[in-house]
Amino acid sequence: MTPEGTAGRIVVVGSLNADLTIYCERLPLPGETVHGNGFAVNPGGKSANQAVAASKLGGHVSLVGAVGDDANGAMLLASTASAGVDISRVRSSSVAATGVAVISVDAHGENNIIISAGANGTLSPADITAAADAFDRAAVVCLCLEVSLETVAAAAQAGHDAGATVLLNLSPYAEIPQSLADLSDVLLVNAHEASLFLGDAEVPDADADAAAWEPVRLQFAARGLERVLVTLGAHGSVVLDSQAAAGSRITRVAPTKVNAVDTTGAGDAFTGAVAARLAAGDSLAEAASFASVAAALAATKKGTQAAYPAIEDVERRLA
Ligand code: ADP
């Protein structure tokens, strides 16, 4: 049993970015200038998105991060706070600007993204130490790779020491030391990241059945990762749980059929939803089923944080 008052608490550690998006007919070639036909500034960053998704789905979420003392920082603090996220551990940097993602999207939805880490790059193990009270009460610690690996490692260690479930979203992909893999209770990857992590290994086709994933489960387990979620876009996801009883170690989670209009940030919605449901006591497979609905609903609206569903929306779809 979790001590009184700790059930459901989630600490999300990582990035907050302002997404600066230009829409255009086609993406420019190197050296070329093209005209855009629209511009938007939206709150983003993987960790801010994951925190908002988890909070809207009923999680008690603290975000540990850094923004600059500027208008983009103020926008991000307002957006995360209005979703119910505790932002008291988001540091305002006087030396670095808020992180930005400069995004171009063409008429087919194809995009190019350049990220400037800004204040996210200043997040350090000292920020993890400063947030020790939040880690001590955490049921789930949710991490991604948009801040330095040493910060992620410090957060994973703090979560582990507190007895929390450490959920690592290996995105954007980077090689991680085995020590970080060992501290990760649940790894969350898309199919491309899964393949890269396993040394450019072949992963089954997105519509392959559960049995086809057995070699992948074994490869992850050999790397010390016994609980892995692989997202497969419109094809749903697969749960690889080497700690489950034989016969139920692989679960294919069917996609939730929706009319998708914008899948940007669907992966973050999925991750936030998994964090919320693990904190609520769900099994990995139950959390993935719930997250499948939440991420699909997020894809039915343009944008990221503003498009993320509330828990009632998911429950209505599940009913
Ligand atoms: P990422 O954006 O990180 O690569 P995915 O594309 O795998 O992640 O999407 C994450 C999850 O979002 C999927 O596992 C699925 O549950 C959901 N999802 C994404 N695209 C769609 C879609 N077109 N229809 C329904 N669900 C989707």
Side-chain angles (χ1 to χ4, degrees):
M1 266 240 317
T2 1
E4 193 66 33
T6 65
R9 289 189 185 273
I10 300 161
V11 178
V12 179
V13 179
S15 56
L16 302 93
N17 287 324
D19 287 348
L20 314 184
T21 307
I22 286 201
Y23 300 92
C24 51
E25 218 22 61
R26 65 173 182 81
L27 301 174
L29 299 168
E32 189 189 19
T33 300
V34 298
H35 288 282
N37 50 35
F39 175 66
V41 180
N42 284 307
K46 294 188 74 66
S47 303
N49 290 348
Q50 292 168 2
V52 166
S55 182
K56 283 184 154 184
L57 295 169
H60 297 282
V61 184
S62 286
L63 179 59
V64 179
V67 293
D69 182 12
D70 51 29
N72 285 336
M75 170 190 71
L76 283 157
L77 293 175
S79 169
T80 43
S82 72
V85 175
D86 172 8
I87 55 164
S88 61
R89 295 168 194 85
V90 178
R91 179 168 50 76
S92 186
S93 168
S94 54
V95 292
T98 299
V100 291
V102 176
I103 306 170
S104 330
V105 182
D106 76 9
H108 305 286
E110 190 63 59
N111 63 33
N112 276 332
I113 304 177
I114 305 178
I115 293 178
S116 171
N120 297 310
T122 71
L123 199 71
S124 77
D127 292 300
I128 305 305
T129 307
D133 61 323
F135 283 92
D136 286 346
R137 288 179 287 135
V140 172
V141 170
C142 181
L143 307 169
C144 71
L145 300 185
E146 277 187 344
V147 293
S148 78
L149 266 183
E150 61 164 354
T151 305
V152 174
Q157 186 68 57
H160 177 80
D161 292 348
T165 297
V166 176
L167 168 64
L168 176 61
N169 176 209
L170 204 62
S171 181
Y173 180 78
E175 283 190 18
I176 57 167
Q178 185 59 39
S179 53
L180 178 54
D182 290 342
L183 289 168
S184 303
D185 299 297
V186 177
L187 187 78
L188 201 159
V189 284
N190 63 22
H192 181 61
E193 291 150 1
S195 165
L196 290 174
F197 181 78
L198 298 173
D200 275 332
E202 291 250 333
V203 296
D205 286 342
D207 51 5
D209 62 12
W213 285 89
E214 178 62 6
V216 178
R217 178 185 76 75
L218 290 170
Q219 287 175 70
F220 274 113
R223 297 280 301 271
L225 289 154
E226 297 196 329
R227 302 172 79 208
V228 180
L229 293 175
V230 185
T231 64
L232 303 166
H235 295 270
S237 58
V238 60
V239 183
L240 310 174
D241 188 350
S242 299
Q243 295 173 356
S248 51
R249 290 183 181 144
I250 303 175
T251 309
R252 274 297 324 239
V253 179
T256 302
K257 298 261 179 255
V258 289
N259 183 14
V261 299
D262 182 4
T263 60
T264 316
D268 295 335
F270 190 95
T271 305
V274 167
R277 294 314 305 168
L278 290 179
D282 274 8
S283 71
L284 202 52
E286 288 166 342
S289 296
F290 184 94
S292 171
V293 179
L297 291 180
T300 61
K301 291 186 193 157
K302 272 203 151 193
T304 53
Q305 295 178 15
Y308 288 168
I311 190 158
E312 299 78 26
D313 302 323
V314 178
E315 282 169 351
R316 204 173 306 123
R317 179 72 190 226
L318 284 168

